[in-house]
Amino acid sequence: MAFQNKNLSVIAYANGFTLWHYSAAETMTTITKTGYFNDVKSLMNIGDVIIINASDNTAIKKINVTASNVTTGDLAGGAAA
């Protein structure tokens, strides 16, 4: 299944930083693949944080936005998911 905008929400926004939440009945591996969030690339910024509730796990990830893709990665010092 592909990204669904209805499953993405903003929890908090301040000073150019956004805390996102995304929940879907897909695995964490699927949701964290490069480009999964490309449909909302213009809304996300480097350093934003996303809480992901997947079918098999929950994780807090950081957002990285490049010219071509949105990627998610582990937070520095955080537990790997």
Side-chain angles (χ1 to χ4, degrees):
M1 205 158 114
F3 168 80
Q4 296 207 9
N5 194 44
K6 68 178 183 173
N7 295 338
L8 180 69
S9 58
V10 172
I11 296 174
Y13 174 83
N15 299 323
F17 167 81
T18 305
L19 176 60
W20 300 92
H21 177 259
Y22 187 76
S23 181
E26 297 175 284
T27 65
M28 187 65 65
T29 301
T30 298
I31 295 171
T32 56
K33 283 185 181 175
T34 296
Y36 185 86
F37 292 101
N38 278 358
D39 288 350
V40 290
K41 180 171 62 172
S42 64
L43 302 176
M44 295 182 159
N45 296 301
I46 295 171
D48 284 358
V49 173
I50 187 166
I51 300 168
I52 300 171
N53 293 110
S55 63
D56 61 343
N57 202 352
T58 297
I60 300 173
K61 301 282 189 177
K62 66 180 178 179
I63 298 292
N64 186 27
V65 180
T66 65
S68 57
N69 286 308
V70 175
T71 59
T72 57
D74 292 331
L75 291 168

